Amino acid sequence: MTTDTMHAAALPKRPTLRRLIVAATIGNVFEWFDFVVYGFFAVTISEVFFPNGNPTVSLLATFGAFGLAYFVRPLGAIVVGGYTDRAGRKAGLLLSIALMMIGTTAMAVTPGYATIGLAAPIILTLARLVQGFSVGGEFGSAVSFLAEHGGGRRGFSASWQFATGGLITAIASVFGVTLTSLLTHDQLVDWGWRIPYFFGMLIGPVGLYVRAKIVETEEFLEAEKPETIPIKDLLRRHPMPVLLGLGISIISNSSFYILAYIPTYGVKTLHLPASTGFTATLIGGLVLAIGCPFAGLLSDRMQRRPLLMVITCWLFVLTSYPAFYLMAAWPSLAACIIAVAWLQLCKAGYSGVLPSLLSEQFPVETRAIGVSLSFSTAVSIFGGLAPLVATWLIAATGDSLSPSYYLIGTALLSLFALMAIQWRSRRVIQTPALAPAE
């Protein structure tokens, strides 16, 4: 037996793509679950941590803390994403989930304002900041890991990053429907809202164990790894990919958080039972979970990967207003299900392709930090503040359809970025001898 043969025999067996997807996305399930739960139970959390004589002020304070966590996400993208590009995809994924466990535990066990006073909202906000920092680096690390292991099935493998987002929405909705149906309002405020967070605490150790068993990607092992990746060097060398990556991430984030806001919208604006909004988001989450892998698979078979995203982006522009009009004109469970399921279907067609397209904008050595920074910046500006903006728009204008205007505007911004990417791609094909200008 030759030395090469013996070395090959000693190498660990390469995991199946299915196992790699599970390893990458179980952390995504854990980390995003807490974020979705916070949005779903915003009305209850506002009573526990931000008591005020004016319920609108309390809700705005709650969504303010929700949005504040997103301002540290670019910092997490720089730190954790840079660490992932230096130390490896596996190391970055382990770091992000460990940090998230700290924030989740704090959310689950912190007493309310009535018990510890001002310390309660302070601890809550700090926990949100830790969570935001963690998730900021998680996305780019997981997308890089999935795309690099996916090879020719890059679109399909990376699409599971958003497919699990739909699964998360469905799981959180199950908690919402169950708790709001079985518990009284006082029980929900006293202890019921904490149950989903304790469930999240159980997922964390499992995700940590599974990720400890994954193997590094071949693309990363073969790439030249710089000792440091200063953010100024990334912006100097790849300014256009960062800008365009931010642009194409806008509608994916704004739509995710506007749809996560539906339970609050149903209660506060449509005056429907809380279970109605949760049921609609449950069904919509299943649509997203099923639709994303199909969109990713289809993109692998298309010569122009952004084409499906352009189509669904136009659908957001043309159908967001009718969807909200349907809910406002006929406030009912059926109307909410139809509107949310349709918008989630549009999102599935868009977000199922987004991760692979983002990964293709950056070389291996700066992929994790590039994808993380682009996506996290879009989340900070257009995603995390979406519920706050929607609440403020409705309060300021009295127009219950105003959240749809936000979706339309953000869809147009992403459409411009997609057109720019297509233009750059055609230019590279027409002039193959020239490197694309950054």
Side-chain angles (χ1 to χ4, degrees):
M1 182 179 289
T2 65
T3 303
D4 290 342
T5 304
M6 293 175 62
H7 177 69
L11 290 174
K13 184 179 178 181
R14 179 181 174 84
T16 63
L17 182 59
R18 180 182 301 175
R19 289 185 61 187
L20 294 171
I21 289 173
V22 171
T25 57
I26 191 171
N28 189 52
V29 169
F30 169 61
E31 296 184 351
W32 285 95
F33 176 77
D34 285 358
F35 270 63
V36 175
V37 166
Y38 188 96
F40 279 6
F41 288 94
V43 175
T44 303
I45 292 174
S46 68
E47 295 183 41
V48 177
F49 290 95
F50 300 95
N52 189 287
N54 187 331
T56 300
V57 173
S58 295
L59 187 60
L60 286 172
T62 303
F63 280 135
F66 182 83
L68 184 62
Y70 289 88
F71 285 105
V72 300
R73 286 188 59 159
L75 178 61
I78 294 169
V79 176
V80 180
Y83 176 73
T84 301
D85 281 328
R86 296 193 308 273
R89 311 317 190 203
K90 177 179 178 177
L93 290 172
L94 286 171
L95 175 60
S96 65
I97 197 170
L99 289 172
M100 192 67 179
M101 289 172 64
I102 297 173
T104 299
T105 302
M107 286 289 299
V109 302
T110 300
Y113 185 92
T115 304
I116 59 174
L118 189 60
I122 292 176
I123 295 174
L124 174 81
T125 303
L126 291 175
R128 295 289 303 162
L129 291 175
V130 171
Q131 290 176 323
F133 182 89
S134 165
V135 177
E138 161 73 16
F139 183 82
S141 301
V143 166
S144 298
F145 178 84
L146 289 170
E148 290 167 11
H149 272 303
R153 303 179 69 191
R154 173 170 297 188
F156 173 75
S157 61
S159 71
W160 285 93
Q161 188 71 3
F162 278 106
T164 52
L167 179 62
I168 294 160
T169 303
I171 295 174
S173 298
V174 168
F175 276 104
V177 171
T178 304
L179 294 175
T180 55
S181 299
L182 299 181
L183 301 181
T184 65
H185 175 76
D186 290 340
Q187 289 174 326
L188 197 60
V189 171
D190 288 342
W191 52 270
W193 70 272
R194 297 183 188 271
I195 293 177
Y197 284 100
F198 283 112
F199 173 77
M201 288 174 61
L202 298 177
I203 302 176
V206 175
L208 199 62
Y209 173 80
V210 171
R211 285 188 169 182
K213 302 295 183 181
I214 62 177
V215 296
E216 193 55 79
T217 70
E218 292 182 7
E219 285 188 49
F220 174 79
L221 293 174
E222 295 172 358
E224 181 179 350
K225 291 170 277 295
E227 294 183 6
T228 61
I229 308 176
I231 187 62
K232 63 179 181 180
D233 288 348
L234 173 70
L235 297 178
R236 178 177 54 83
R237 294 164 55 194
H238 307 291
M240 192 56 67
V242 171
L243 182 61
L244 293 178
L246 188 160
I248 61 177
S249 300
I250 291 174
I251 183 58
S252 180
N253 284 298
S254 64
S255 60
F256 183 87
Y257 291 101
I258 286 294
L259 290 171
Y261 166 75
I262 290 297
T264 302
Y265 179 77
V267 172
K268 291 292 186 179
T269 304
L270 304 181
H271 307 293
L272 293 170
S275 59
T276 298
F278 287 127
T279 302
T281 51
L282 166 61
I283 295 174
L286 293 175
V287 171
L288 181 63
I290 296 170
C292 279
F294 280 101
L297 186 64
L298 181 60
S299 73
D300 286 330
R301 300 177 180 179
M302 298 175 69
Q303 185 175 5
R304 296 170 58 199
R305 195 184 296 275
L307 179 60
L308 184 58
M309 297 173 68
V310 171
I311 294 172
T312 51
C313 207
W314 272 114
L315 288 175
F316 270 118
V317 173
L318 297 174
T319 64
S320 292
Y321 182 88
F324 273 85
Y325 180 82
L326 176 65
M327 290 189 286
W330 294 279
S332 62
L333 176 60
C336 289
I337 289 176
I338 293 171
V340 172
W342 168 253
L343 291 175
Q344 287 284 30
L345 183 62
C346 295
K347 178 172 170 53
Y350 190 92
S351 297
V353 187
L354 175 62
S356 55
L357 184 62
L358 277 173
S359 70
E360 292 170 355
Q361 306 306 306
F362 300 93
V364 177
E365 59 270 19
T366 60
R367 181 168 290 153
I369 188 173
V371 172
S372 291
L373 182 62
S374 299
F375 188 82
S376 294
T377 304
V379 176
S380 299
I381 301 173
F382 299 98
L385 293 177
L388 178 65
V389 172
T391 302
W392 177 81
L393 282 174
I394 294 172
T397 65
D399 185 356
S400 60
L401 305 181
S402 54
S404 68
Y405 308 148
Y406 187 72
L407 281 179
I408 294 170
T410 52
L412 288 173
L413 291 175
S414 287
L415 191 60
F416 293 144
L418 284 169
M419 293 169 62
I421 287 178
Q422 289 183 310
W423 178 78
R424 282 165 55 86
S425 298
R426 286 194 295 267
R427 191 181 63 168
V428 170
I429 292 173
Q430 292 169 359
T431 57
L434 298 177
E438 301 294 348

